[in-house]
Amino acid sequence: LGSSDLSAAETRTTAYLSKCNPMREVVEDVRDFHASNSEFFFGIPYELIYSDEFAASPDPVIQKKAVLDKVVRNLGKKINHAANYMMGVRVFIENAGIRVILKMQELLKLPVEWQPQDVVKFVLNRFDKRFPEVRNAWATEQAIEVLTTGRLQCITGYAPLFLESPMHNKSVLNQCVATESQHLSAQIAL
């Protein structure tokens, strides 16, 4: 019957849950979050990626033209989601595909001899420099809570049980990090 799509909902919840002030500032800015990240990651001016003027138009046809460079904006979006959920290098490459990685390499003017894993490590490192709390302190806090209690207590009261250690199973660590922000963003959308 219908659906809701909140702008950067999971990123917004991740920013607040991780207490990452730089991410909060970017996600709460009036500018498009993914275009802003793409500007940071690739050094391409925001105005070449996204039109705030088109986005603010009352005409839905014009609003749909707000994304001026879908390829570059989507690259920034892929980096953000991969990093937010602790995606590893191999999984990032598998999910994004070699063409996407090569496009990132080209935009970043990285050495042609670099392998895809070098490119992915580079972009994830850029993410960590911009948003240091997300993949470091917050991910560690989530893992420690699961290790000590077996559960992850979400602010909504939801407390899923984890049967495996996030320190010995990367997939479980990814689930720990994703659970609360995904759950909270789904609750907000309802």
Side-chain angles (χ1 to χ4, degrees), residues 154-175:
C154 299
I155 63 171
T156 60
Y158 178 62
L161 177 65
F162 287 82
L163 301 175
E164 292 185 59
S165 167
M167 302 313 257
H168 299 106
N169 186 325
K170 179 74 167 65
S171 177
V172 174
L173 177 61
N174 293 5
Q175 290 171 10

Side-chain angles (χ1 to χ4, degrees), residues 22-174:
M23 186 180 276
R24 284 183 195 172
E25 290 170 11
V26 178
V27 81
E28 294 299 346
D29 190 355
V30 295
R31 296 175 3 138
D32 178 76
F33 178 78
H34 295 301
S36 178
N37 274 345
S38 295
E39 177 182 46
F40 174 80
F41 293 138
F42 303 112
I44 296 171
Y46 176 87
E47 296 75 21
L48 297 178
I49 303 168
Y50 195 86
S51 170
D52 291 327
E53 183 180 338
F54 287 176
S57 172
D59 184 342
V61 174
I62 294 174
Q63 286 176 6
K64 288 184 179 184
K65 297 178 181 180
V67 179
L68 304 174
D69 192 330
K70 289 181 182 180
V71 171
V72 171
R73 184 180 180 275
N74 283 339
L75 292 175
K77 189 174 183 177
K78 283 182 187 301
I79 294 167
N80 182 65
H81 289 306
N84 277 352
Y85 298 123
M86 301 297 291
M87 195 177 287
V89 172
R90 181 185 53 80
V91 175
F92 189 133
I93 294 168
E94 288 172 6
N95 282 298
I98 295 297
R99 286 185 183 168
V100 168
I101 306 304
L102 292 174
K103 185 66 177 175
M104 289 179 185
Q105 185 174 15
E106 174 192 329
L107 289 171
L108 291 164
K109 298 175 178 58
L110 297 174
V112 294
E113 63 272 8
W114 276 24
Q115 297 298 308
Q117 58 268 25
D118 299 320
V119 176
V120 170
K121 288 176 187 174
F122 181 86
V123 296
L124 290 176
N125 186 41
R126 286 189 74 128
F127 178 93
D128 291 341
K129 284 182 180 174
R130 187 167 201 199
F131 306 124
E133 294 84 0
V134 176
R135 290 172 28 100
N136 297 311
W138 185 56
T140 301
E141 287 172 18
Q142 303 291 84
I144 289 170
E145 182 175 342
V146 169
L147 280 172
T148 57
T149 68
R151 294 187 175 275
L152 185 63
Q153 183 65 50
C154 299
I155 63 171
T156 60
Y158 178 62
L161 177 65
F162 287 82
L163 301 175
E164 292 185 59
S165 167
M167 302 313 257
H168 299 106
N169 186 325
K170 179 74 167 65
S171 177
V172 174
L173 177 61
N174 293 5

